[in-house]
Amino acid sequence: RMAFKGKSELGVLNSLDPAGGELRALDFGTVSIGNTPGRTLYLANFGTENAPLAITRVAVEPEGGAFFMQPAPRLASAPAFLSPFRACNRDRVTCGLLESCSTTQSSPAVGHCLDASGRPSDALPIELRFAPSSPGSLGATLVIGNDEENAAGDRVESPLFTASLTGAATVASLLVTPSPLEFGDIYVGTLNTLQVQLENAGAAALTLQSVGTAGPTSAFLLTAPPTPVTMLPGAKLFATLVISPSVPRSFADTLVVRSTDPKQPVTNVLMKAESFIPPAIRVVPAGPIDFGEAQLGQQRQIAVTVSNAGGKALRIDEIGYAAHSSRDFIASGLPPEIAPSASATLALTFAPATGGSPGPRAGSFILYCNDPSLPKDGQGRHHVLLEYRALATDPVLTVSPPQGHD
């Protein structure tokens, strides 16, 4: 029966270099949800003589939280006994016959003994993990039961050693806008573009892994940023979708975005569009429209036929006057929409006011509509001009011969 001398002393180390100091708290820092960083600690006996140290329990409390310990084989049948820690060097090795010293030609002169499998002979490694599932500051306690005899005289480890475990969790969140990706009603033969914003709306860095379409032969042409790419919180990237339909029909596909968003690693966004033969306005007579003569205070009216030769409803947004046009002309009677192959009557009236000046009148009405073939004004509105002209007269009654003469 072996006789033990001295006293045992528990040491909890960040590394097997005793000069590195003992652990009192372990902070994992800020971690993105979805990552599981680990830290290896070493339990060693820094007691005197040959006094062994029994490790009766190692646990993280509370259990089932964000902090946990990987299984340690030597703790499977607790207690685990640790002999006093032995330092070694290249010149004066203190390890056993089947052991080796961890020092190498390039490492520090002082090392520790390794068993035949390369594991520390006099230390018990334990691996702690931090795997947060929700954002915020988190904490737990590392608890180590032991029977140290207080060789150091600090009385802080026995019968329970405790150390606080802390960490903060942040989450990356990919936001794709707009969603769904709707082009709305588009016209055959036109080029239609939609910008897609990819934003990291979370508080942790995110990796954008790929951006593509689900359909192998999609009608939507996608231009996306190069991937993979890291997006810091608040960062935005942009992709562009283009569709140019050649026939009237419905289009649908899915934009597929893969990222390290822990809650939604694959984001699917519906893309859709509906193409039509565009509306086409026809005006008869096309102008210039000549009202001829009209006396001041009287009216003359001309009917103009406005028809839709296209395949989508023709929308009449507004009828206005071109610059410097006479306001003695009035346009009325046109409905807000004209169905495909239908027509409507636009009533044009010349009404020079009583008391006005006689003489020529001219100008143009502007018909704003959704015919995409028409030119646009400075506000991007499609329009067609309808010119008009007329002559306002003021007839004078003449009596001959003058009254009072024979």
Side-chain angles (χ1 to χ4, degrees):
R1 178 175 175 179
M2 178 178 287
F4 295 107
K5 297 180 180 180
K7 295 181 178 181
S8 59
E9 174 72 23
L10 173 65
V12 182
L13 310 175
N14 283 304
S15 71
L16 280 173
D17 180 7
E22 292 191 51
L23 176 79
R24 296 301 175 198
L26 178 59
D27 184 13
F28 282 83
T30 300
V31 175
S32 299
I33 291 177
N35 295 329
T36 309
R39 294 283 295 275
T40 300
L41 303 180
Y42 296 90
L43 311 186
N45 179 3
F46 291 107
T48 59
E49 302 289 337
N50 65 342
L53 173 68
I55 304 299
T56 57
R57 173 177 177 243
V58 180
V60 174
E61 296 179 348
E63 295 183 358
F67 300 88
F68 64 94
M69 186 181 74
Q70 296 285 84
R74 288 182 64 182
L75 290 171
S77 56
F81 292 96
L82 296 176
S83 299
F85 187 83
R86 293 167 293 163
C88 62
N89 58 41
R90 293 192 303 270
D91 302 322
R92 189 175 66 255
V93 177
T94 60
C95 303
L97 292 176
L98 299 179
E99 296 176 319
S100 61
C101 189
S102 65
T103 56
T104 63
Q105 202 67 30
S106 59
S107 67
V110 177
H112 52 274
C113 296
L114 304 174
D115 64 19
S117 64
R119 294 176 297 191
S121 298
D122 303 326
L124 174 61
I126 58 173
E127 185 176 0
L128 299 175
R129 292 277 181 175
F130 179 40
S133 58
S134 58
S137 297
L138 302 170
T141 302
L142 173 65
V143 178
I144 302 173
N146 64 92
D147 69 346
E148 80 154 44
E149 297 167 307
N150 195 32
D154 52 16
R155 299 185 180 278
V156 296
E157 288 91 4
S158 180
L160 284 178
F161 169 90
T162 60
S164 63
L165 306 177
T166 57
T170 57
V171 62
S173 178
L174 180 66
L175 178 64
V176 181
T177 54
S179 180
L181 296 164
E182 294 182 310
F183 282 83
D185 293 347
I186 58 177
Y187 300 131
V188 170
T190 60
L191 188 69
N192 304 272
T193 302
L194 185 62
Q195 189 177 68
V196 185
Q197 178 176 286
L198 311 169
E199 178 185 4
N200 180 2
L206 175 144
T207 299
L208 185 66
Q209 297 168 325
S210 66
V211 183
T213 56
T217 56
S218 179
F220 300 90
L221 178 64
L222 172 66
T223 302
T227 54
V229 60
T230 299
M231 301 177 65
L232 297 178
K236 298 176 183 178
L237 295 173
F238 297 91
T240 303
L241 289 170
V242 176
I243 185 170
S244 181
S246 58
V247 294
R249 52 164 286 198
S250 297
F251 298 89
D253 202 345
T254 302
L255 182 72
V256 181
V257 184
R258 290 180 168 82
S259 71
T260 55
D261 182 334
K263 293 185 178 180
Q264 194 171 1
V266 180
T267 302
N268 295 314
V269 184
L270 176 65
M271 304 182 293
K272 58 182 180 180
E274 184 85 14
S275 65
F276 299 89
I277 300 295
I281 191 171
R282 299 290 184 268
V283 180
V284 180
I289 299 172
D290 193 343
F291 286 83
E293 296 183 7
Q295 295 182 8
L296 295 176
Q298 296 183 348
Q299 296 184 356
R300 293 204 64 181
Q301 192 172 78
I302 294 178
V304 174
T305 300
V306 179
S307 59
N308 179 7
K312 183 71 173 172
L314 176 68
R315 188 181 66 249
I316 306 298
D317 297 318
E318 183 185 351
I319 301 177
Y321 292 98
H324 311 296
S325 294
S326 170
R327 298 305 199 264
D328 285 344
F329 297 83
I330 303 169
S332 61
L334 204 59
E337 280 192 355
I338 301 175
S341 303
S343 60
T345 299
L346 173 64
L348 300 182
T349 303
F350 174 49
T354 302
S357 301
R361 306 283 197 274
S364 298
F365 286 115
I366 307 176
L367 274 68
Y368 296 99
C369 65
N370 62 335
D371 181 344
S373 67
L374 297 177
K376 296 180 180 180
D377 66 3
Q379 300 178 33
R381 299 181 298 177
H382 296 285
H383 64 280
V384 61
L385 293 177
L386 185 57
E387 294 183 55
Y388 51 76
R389 61 192 178 198
L391 179 64
T393 61
D394 185 9
V396 177
L397 178 63
T398 301
V399 179
S400 181
Q403 293 182 356
H405 294 268
D406 293 333

